[in-house]
Amino acid sequence: MKLSTKLIHAGVEPDPSTGAIMTPIYQTSTYVQTAPGVHKGYEYARSQNPTRQALESAMAHIENGKHGLCFSSGVAATDAVLRLLVPGDEVIAANDMYGGTYRLFTKIFEKVGIRFHFVNMQEVSAIEPYINSNTRLIWAETPTNPLMNIVDIAALAALSKKHKLLLCVDNTFASPYLQNPLDLGADLVLHSATKYLGGHSDVIHGCLVMNDTSLRDQLYFIQKSCGAVPGPQDCFLVLRGLKTLHVRMDRHCSNGEAIARWLRKHPKVGKVYWCGFEDHPGYAVAKKQMRGFGGMMSFTLKDDSLEAVTRLLSSTKLFALAESLGGVESLINHPASMTHASIPRDERIKNGLTDSLIRLSVGIEDVDDLIGDLKQAIG
Ligand SMILES: *Cc1c(COP(=O)(O)O)cnc(C)c1O
């Protein structure tokens, strides 16, 4: 089955009791047993919920994996993966990634004795020196947030297999429509379904997809023991979002390309970070592992004073100034003070995330209107 068909049909069966074509929202905390231990596979909704299971099955199909697990947020899914580790274990993570992941690693997991190495993953050969007998996990994000750097997933998977490490790829920016890390050798794929999968800025949700059944069992144990499960209404919203992912992503990609190329020609714009430019350092790898370049990009103004940046951020009318991304509506964001404020300034700047960087999540509105909005705001 092709992806566009899977997005609509995978994991979803008509409701056996009524024939309802849409998965019902099973808003229940518990299930009746006919005698102790005699039930239909459902005991308590932290452990099993049919709406959640439909989404978990859909996610597994869509990411070409065997198992899906859903969580109350993308961060909760990340937290579950890190709970596989014990004190003394080490993790190699990208030095350019989602601020909330960085915060979780450094403020919560470092405290309990897990050690993190934040490295530039654009050259996979630069990673090997950080691997030692305590290393357990490689954590990658590609394209990276917000600098749109590309990491070669297949090369990373070869390295992690050689050293028997677990490789988790945060696939939030690309979405399963543009990239499937399990096919390239990753062990785990993570999504903040809050973004493109939900697609309508109306839900917080996370999921993991994997092939290995023992890894699934360990993560399922963590899911039910730690309890960061999503409610059935939220699972329904993500299931609903999935059905149009392919149509939305096509428009995100074409609008994104038009805007990136327009920005690059603008005399007041400095650098534009978008992985579809032929001279982007990761272009060849992006071409190889992605089916399109998405709707995310960042840029700077030639006048990188705080006044100029602030003026722009408060003058757009269609691009709303807000955190998050991946919804149908366009958003503009200032990573240094918003999404990435939890990364220390020195650390940020060292990795290229300057105070003047502006990030766009290009929505699916008419592209002429979007360009018109940026034109009047940049001036
Ligand atoms: C938003 C985001 C997350 C965290 O997801 P939440 O749903 O907000 O908890 C993780 N990774 C990336 C790349 C994100 O953009």
Side-chain angles (χ1 to χ4, degrees):
M1 208 187 278
K2 296 266 173 59
L3 182 57
S4 301
T5 312
K6 280 195 215 174
L7 284 165
I8 292 166
H9 294 285
V12 178
E13 298 291 340
D15 176 41
S17 58
T18 62
I21 191 161
M22 283 301 128
T23 310
I25 300 166
Y26 285 92
Q27 194 76 53
T28 187
S29 60
T30 193
Y31 308 87
V32 175
Q33 309 195 5
T34 46
V38 182
H39 51 74
K40 299 183 168 155
Y42 297 96
E43 297 149 296
Y44 186 63
R46 178 158 31 75
S47 307
Q48 310 98 0
N49 179 285
T51 318
R52 187 171 94 217
Q53 284 166 347
L55 176 58
E56 292 180 335
S57 165
M59 280 308 303
H61 280 97
I62 290 161
E63 275 291 11
N64 299 332
K66 283 209 185 83
H67 311 286
L69 289 170
C70 291
F71 294 85
S72 53
S73 67
V75 162
T78 307
D79 176 74
V81 175
L82 270 289
R83 284 174 192 270
L84 293 166
L85 307 183
V86 296
D89 284 351
E90 297 191 10
V91 178
I92 299 175
N95 65 355
D96 167 24
M97 62 178 188
Y98 177 63
T101 307
Y102 180 86
R103 179 175 59 196
L104 178 67
F105 288 1
T106 55
K107 294 287 198 284
I108 305 290
F109 283 101
E110 250 171 22
K111 219 168 50 186
V112 297
I114 293 167
R115 195 158 169 232
F116 296 88
H117 302 273
F118 295 98
V119 307
N120 180 339
M121 293 196 169
Q122 290 165 73
E123 286 303 328
V124 170
S125 58
I127 299 169
E128 203 156 22
Y130 293 92
I131 299 177
N132 62 45
S133 58
N134 295 322
T135 313
R136 296 285 173 270
L137 172 69
I138 298 182
W139 190 277
E141 207 181 290
T142 181
T144 64
N145 180 1
L147 288 167
M148 306 305 297
N149 289 318
I150 299 294
V151 181
D152 186 334
I153 299 172
L156 211 51
L159 181 73
S160 82
K161 285 205 167 50
K162 177 173 160 200
H163 294 277
K164 301 192 165 47
L165 310 176
L166 210 53
L167 170 62
C168 182
V169 176
D170 181 336
N171 202 25
T172 300
F173 261 41
S175 90
Y177 185 62
L178 300 181
Q179 176 173 278
N180 300 110
L182 296 182
D183 290 349
L184 301 165
D187 301 293
L188 276 164
V189 180
L190 176 131
H191 282 284
S192 166
T194 310
K195 317 295 168 52
Y196 286 110
L197 300 180
H200 295 74
S201 307
D202 53 9
V203 63
I204 296 281
H205 190 105
C207 35
L208 294 172
V209 182
M210 68 233 74
N211 276 312
D212 187 87
T213 302
S214 102
L215 185 58
R216 183 262 171 203
D217 292 346
Q218 291 172 64
L219 287 163
Y220 172 66
F221 183 79
I222 292 169
Q223 184 197 40
K224 75 171 181 188
S225 304
C226 299
V229 290
Q233 170 93 30
D234 290 352
C235 293
F236 175 86
L237 286 171
V238 177
L239 271 169
R240 182 178 187 166
L242 287 181
K243 293 180 196 296
T244 54
L245 180 71
H246 49 312
V247 189
R248 288 184 283 111
M249 286 313 290
D250 280 342
R251 182 64 75 84
H252 283 297
C253 288
S254 61
N255 281 0
E257 169 154 17
I259 289 175
R261 294 196 189 280
W262 179 83
L263 280 172
R264 201 179 219 193
K265 284 203 222 108
H266 197 289
K268 290 192 180 166
V269 170
K271 275 194 90 153
V272 183
Y273 301 86
W274 177 67
C275 58
F277 288 131
E278 294 74 4
D279 57 357
H280 183 286
Y283 180 75
V285 177
K287 268 295 240 200
K288 185 179 72 172
Q289 68 189 18
M290 299 174 77
R291 293 180 283 268
F293 305 110
M296 294 302 300
M297 69 195 63
S298 299
F299 68 99
T300 57
L301 294 175
K302 281 192 184 135
D303 173 2
D304 67 355
S305 66
L306 200 56
E307 298 76 63
V309 173
T310 311
R311 197 180 325 115
L312 167 57
L313 290 167
S314 32
S315 342
T316 53
K317 298 196 165 62
L318 280 173
F319 281 87
L321 178 61
E323 300 196 5
S324 200
L325 61 106
V328 291
E329 66 290 303
S330 294
L331 300 179
I332 190 165
N333 164 51
H334 183 230
S337 69
M338 295 167 72
T339 45
H340 292 66
S342 52
I343 303 177
R345 187 167 184 271
D346 294 350
E347 193 67 22
R348 245 200 309 110
I349 290 177
K350 203 171 74 199
N351 300 328
L353 202 172
T354 60
D355 291 337
S356 60
L357 193 78
I358 295 161
R359 189 186 80 180
L360 298 181
S361 169
V362 176
I364 63 171
E365 301 95 333
D366 186 282
V367 73
D368 294 338
D369 288 336
L370 294 179
I371 290 177
D373 189 33
L374 290 171
K375 194 169 177 180
Q376 66 77 26
I378 295 171

